[in-house]
Amino acid sequence: MTQATTAPAPSSAPVWREVREIGVTLAAALILAMVIRILLFQPFTIPSSSMEPGLVTGDYIVVSKYAYGWSRASLPFNPPLPDGRVLGRQPKRGDVVVFRRPHDPKEVWIKRVIGLPGDTVQVRKGQVFVNGRLIGQTPLQMVSDHDAPQRRVLEVREALASGKTYVTYDGGPDQPGDDTPIYRVPAGQYFMMGDNRDNSLDSRWSADLGVGLLPAENIVGRAEIVAASWKPGAGLFKPWTWLNLQWGRFLKPIR
């Protein structure tokens, strides 16, 4: 008579090995994503109209964090580290820069660099003078403000001595900020302006109202590209709005 034998119970080791491998893979992917976000690139959403027409509300942009080196502003939550930048490099006039607002570092703003350390900057009748020289302006056409169609503005192309050009909005004469004193930009600071010149709180205003002069250590990085853009009202937690896109604004270089 043959004696029956009991089959051995299946081992749980292969299951746990697979779970562990999945966990290690996810952890590695998370660490890699954090390294990329902290050291290389970070996405931001444009919340206001101050950089029209180049950037509009709802644009989802990519910022290169290595362009000017790293500071505490580059890190999540702006930790209380010493001032200064690691491998710091100076922005160029005309760069579009994301930074932590000096008056409230929890707020992340975006403007264009107009004045470098050592420069003088003045606005007279809406025209910008750097070191006494006028930034070239070419009026283009009257258009409706992208975010406020009831508002008519003049598109103006500005040209820097370097050859870089970009388009701004002019809301008309005698607007606040159209005439300023001469600002002298100290070492380690920058003078910033929004392209929507009559709808931007920038370095023309004191730090408690606008930007004031921007310390280099507050810079997060250089805005590189509009990856995508959503119309007003779209949101992460409103799935029915996820395809509410501004289709003509995909993969637009930021000039």
Side-chain angles (χ1 to χ4, degrees):
M1 182 176 181
T2 303
Q3 184 177 3
T5 57
T6 304
S11 172
S12 61
V15 175
W16 284 111
R17 188 180 303 115
E18 184 175 348
V19 170
R20 184 178 61 200
E21 289 174 355
I22 292 173
V24 169
T25 301
L26 290 175
L30 180 60
I31 292 171
L32 179 60
M34 288 299 295
V35 168
I36 290 173
R37 187 178 187 276
I38 291 172
L39 297 181
L40 300 178
F41 299 100
Q42 184 172 349
F44 289 93
T45 301
I46 300 298
S48 74
S49 304
S50 71
M51 284 297 292
E52 289 182 311
L55 296 171
V56 303
T57 303
D59 281 352
Y60 189 73
I61 68 170
V62 176
V63 173
S64 62
K65 303 184 81 171
Y66 58 86
Y68 311 124
W70 298 268
S71 71
R72 64 170 182 253
S74 309
L75 302 175
F77 311 114
N78 194 42
L81 298 175
D83 291 345
R85 303 191 73 82
V86 176
L87 300 177
R89 292 177 292 278
Q90 180 169 281
K92 298 177 182 177
R93 286 194 197 90
D95 283 1
V96 177
V97 169
V98 170
F99 57 90
R100 293 186 182 274
R101 184 186 177 206
H103 187 69
D104 185 357
K106 295 189 298 295
E107 296 182 9
V108 178
W109 286 21
I110 183 168
K111 306 290 181 188
R112 190 179 297 277
V113 176
I114 296 297
L116 302 178
D119 285 346
T120 62
V121 180
Q122 185 180 25
V123 184
R124 301 201 300 259
K125 296 183 178 180
Q127 296 181 307
V128 183
F129 293 79
V130 178
N131 297 325
R133 296 181 179 180
L134 174 66
I135 292 180
Q137 293 186 328
T138 304
L140 299 178
Q141 60 183 338
M142 295 295 297
V143 297
S144 294
D145 183 305
H146 183 280
D147 289 350
Q150 73 281 2
R151 176 177 179 245
R152 297 291 289 175
V153 291
L154 175 64
E155 285 187 334
V156 178
R157 181 173 298 280
E158 292 193 349
L160 302 180
S162 64
K164 183 180 182 70
T165 69
Y166 49 87
V167 177
T168 65
Y169 275 172
D170 181 1
D174 302 322
Q175 300 289 321
D178 274 358
D179 291 278
T180 73
I182 296 175
Y183 296 92
R184 298 185 182 276
V185 185
Q189 299 189 15
Y190 298 90
F191 192 95
M192 316 297 292
M193 292 183 71
D195 290 349
N196 194 350
R197 290 293 164 74
D198 299 316
N199 189 19
S200 174
L201 294 174
D202 45 45
S203 292
R204 291 172 289 177
W205 281 267
S206 61
D208 59 337
L209 181 60
V211 175
L213 293 171
L214 177 68
E217 57 264 22
N218 284 56
I219 293 175
V220 175
R222 183 176 63 210
E224 301 286 0
I225 194 169
V226 178
S229 187
W230 278 263
K231 294 179 182 178
L236 179 62
F237 300 106
K238 297 188 286 185
W240 60 92
T241 68
W242 289 353
L243 293 180
N244 193 15
L245 297 164
Q246 303 186 80
W247 294 100
R249 298 193 60 76
F250 276 74
L251 301 179
K252 289 178 65 72
I254 296 171
R255 305 191 183 282

